[in-house]
Amino acid sequence: MLLDNASDTAQVTPLLPGTPGNAALITTRHRSLVPPGATRFEVPVPDQQEAVAMLGRFTGDAEIAAAPELALELVHACGQLPLALRVIGARAAARPGRGLGAQLLRLRAEEHQLDELRAGGMSVEATFQVGYRALAAERARAMRLCALLDAADFPVAVAAVLLDRPEQETEEQLEHLVEAGLLEPHSADRYRFHDLVRAFAARRADREDSVAERQAALVRLAMFLHATLLQAMSATERSGSLSIHLFAVPSTGLRFADAEAARTWLLAEHTLLVSVFSRVLRDIPDAARIVVAALSVIASSGLFAGPAHQRELERVTDHAVAAADLGDDPDLPSQTRHIRAWLGFIRGDLAAAETDLREGIGRSRDGDDPLTSFMSARLLSVVLVDQGRGAEAAAFFAESEAVGGAPDDPNSPAYFLAEVARLFTALSSDRADVNVAAAQHVYDVSDRLRKAAVQR
């Protein structure tokens, strides 16, 4: 006897054979369903090769052989889920002239992805709906809010901030979702969604949670991540002035035993940081200041690993510049341009850095942000020296000195610059040789300009 998609042990117990020579095969998404005497085994998602072969059985091997790369992309878009592959196969069989490319294009439209994965009586969304409807209200809410994260996996601490619940309670909710087969454990304290389950949960969030509730969850998380970045700085010997300058937020964030622990967390959560900040900039422009503050921490501390991570940060910073220009905060346009200029300087693009710095300085002169004015004028003087334009450099260096304040005043921009120098050494990424060299170059050129000014 086959008992398909069972929900709990009580449901199947009356149906189990009671005489020798009979057996029951039970399929379920619920991990706790194990009747007495049963043997449990997991059926994993098929690997890529097996999934392509499965798709071929539904579409015909000739279709796969004609476009093997498209078949691989289509399998990936289906999350290698057998039901999704079967639906795509049924659609392909019904429209043999359309080809795999047309199927792939339709699946890539994320908002319509689940709509494409239904054919006849088969529906991926309907299958997920069975498990979702069985959830208690708090567990369903946990599933929906965690699906706001566009990241491969996430830790309990992040989920707790999204849900606005204690970590222990959050972990219990997540474990119930694992038991229901709607979430996967990823490591000791991390979880992940199957791509299609996340798409389903995100759709439920759009339909069941208000815009205000979803935005509040993301803003809480952005503030938590910013606070955690500041805690990463505090893991060094002394960094009080950085917290003063970099927009303190009403959140404590995670704490770290030392700089190495902080760096480990930052490298592990880079993708999460990028995805959350991008989402906030896109959907919640009023919260752009939080993201800009966090980007300031990352950029001024070298907290990224190598060119790939820097390119991702540059894309987020581009979004931040655009959001700042559209917003009402007079300080954000200059702050975002300074961040982008610094990333350009590290990359060696002096022309792009100069353009952003000049624009940012022009805007900051009309605002009330001496730190950004100081940092941008100081960096522009270095950029100009590197281009052989010493006279222009001296003028901007003098402008930076005028707003720098006393180097021994913890509230001054000059003191902040000294703290940044130390942090580049203590908290820089695995590409520290590049980032520290760039920072050290700024300080070396600044020393030369200061000595030249004294001599004059």
Side-chain angles (χ1 to χ4, degrees):
M1 180 180 293
L2 172 63
L3 304 176
D4 186 39
N5 204 15
S7 60
D8 55 43
T9 303
Q11 185 185 41
V12 300
T13 298
L15 304 175
L16 296 177
T19 57
N22 297 292
L25 178 63
I26 305 170
T27 67
T28 181
R29 300 183 67 86
H30 297 267
R31 294 170 179 260
S32 62
L33 196 159
V34 184
T39 299
R40 180 180 180 85
F41 58 94
E42 298 279 344
V43 181
V45 173
D47 61 30
Q48 193 174 71
Q49 185 176 0
E50 186 181 359
V52 170
M54 186 179 295
L55 180 62
R57 289 200 295 273
F58 301 137
T59 63
D61 291 336
E63 190 93 27
I64 303 299
E69 292 184 1
L70 281 178
L72 283 173
E73 291 187 57
L74 196 53
V75 160
H76 178 72
C78 290
Q80 298 165 217
L81 193 69
L83 178 59
L85 296 172
R86 180 162 183 157
V87 170
I88 290 297
R91 281 177 168 265
R95 297 287 297 276
R98 176 174 287 181
L100 299 180
Q103 296 280 1
L104 182 61
L105 285 175
R106 295 173 70 90
L107 272 180
R108 280 176 172 165
E110 185 175 340
E111 66 273 18
H112 301 304
Q113 187 177 37
L114 292 173
D115 297 329
E116 293 299 316
L117 293 175
R118 60 166 60 107
M122 297 181 294
S123 169
V124 170
E125 184 173 18
T127 300
F128 296 153
Q129 187 78 354
V130 172
Y132 177 75
R133 286 175 176 167
L135 294 174
E138 279 299 303
R139 295 167 194 171
R141 175 180 178 271
M143 181 179 176
R144 295 193 304 269
L145 290 184
C146 287
L148 296 176
L149 296 172
D150 186 15
D153 57 85
F154 55 90
V156 173
V158 164
V161 175
L162 282 171
L163 303 185
D164 201 18
R165 297 287 188 272
E167 284 194 31
Q168 183 175 353
E169 179 183 334
T170 298
E171 187 170 12
E172 290 175 1
Q173 301 287 8
L174 298 180
E175 285 297 318
H176 281 297
L177 293 176
V178 170
E179 184 180 306
L182 295 169
L183 192 66
E184 303 171 10
H186 185 52
S187 63
D189 67 339
R190 301 183 76 87
Y191 297 85
R192 64 185 176 190
F193 285 107
H194 184 281
D195 289 347
L196 295 180
V197 176
R198 180 189 169 276
F200 167 82
R203 172 174 284 191
R204 300 317 312 169
D206 287 342
R207 294 177 178 178
E208 298 181 37
D209 299 319
S210 68
V211 172
E213 184 174 4
R214 283 178 277 141
Q215 290 187 349
L218 288 170
V219 169
R220 279 196 304 272
L221 183 54
M223 294 173 68
F224 169 82
L225 293 174
H226 175 213
T228 299
L229 289 167
L230 292 176
Q231 290 289 355
M233 289 184 167
S234 296
T236 58
E237 292 179 3
R238 56 188 180 87
S239 58
S241 69
L242 293 171
S243 296
I244 292 172
H245 284 295
L246 292 174
F247 318 115
V249 294
S251 174
T252 57
L254 296 177
R255 298 180 184 276
F256 303 100
D258 52 35
E260 185 60 31
R263 184 170 59 181
T264 298
W265 183 87
L266 288 159
L267 294 176
E269 304 301 350
H270 175 84
T271 300
L272 178 69
L273 289 164
V274 168
S275 65
V276 171
F277 295 156
S278 297
R279 180 77 179 269
V280 170
L281 290 171
R282 185 190 72 192
D283 296 341
I284 320 173
D286 289 344
R289 186 174 181 84
I290 302 169
V291 175
V292 174
L295 291 174
S296 295
V297 177
I298 297 172
S300 65
S301 305
L303 300 176
F304 50 85
H309 282 185
Q310 178 167 336
R311 284 192 293 272
E312 289 181 330
L313 287 171
E314 287 172 348
R315 286 194 291 272
V316 177
T317 304
D318 286 341
H319 296 160
V321 170
D325 287 348
L326 293 173
D328 299 326
D329 191 320
D331 293 332
L332 289 190
S334 56
Q335 290 170 4
T336 53
R337 281 173 172 79
H338 177 81
I339 296 167
R340 189 165 67 179
W342 174 245
L343 294 173
F345 177 73
I346 291 174
R347 190 178 66 248
D349 191 342
L350 298 182
E354 180 182 350
T355 298
D356 274 328
L357 289 168
R358 286 186 179 276
E359 176 70 17
I361 290 169
R363 290 173 178 252
S364 67
R365 284 169 178 158
D366 299 328
D368 184 23
D369 184 8
L371 175 62
T372 301
S373 297
F374 169 79
M375 297 291 282
S376 292
R378 177 61 55 87
L379 182 56
L380 181 55
S381 68
V382 175
V383 168
L384 292 170
V385 164
D386 288 349
Q387 297 179 80
R389 297 153 64 185
E392 291 178 81
F396 281 103
F397 182 81
E399 182 172 337
S400 74
E401 291 285 85
V403 297
D408 58 351
D409 177 4
N411 295 297
S412 73
Y415 185 86
F416 173 84
L417 188 63
E419 291 291 275
V420 170
R422 181 184 55 76
L423 281 167
F424 261 93
T425 301
L427 278 177
S428 62
S429 68
D430 290 342
R431 291 297 301 274
D433 56 323
V434 175
N435 296 332
V436 170
Q440 188 60 51
H441 179 64
V442 171
Y443 310 127
D444 290 344
V445 173
S446 296
D447 284 343
R448 294 205 305 269
L449 287 169
R450 183 178 293 106
K451 290 174 183 177
V454 170
Q455 291 173 356
R456 286 197 298 271

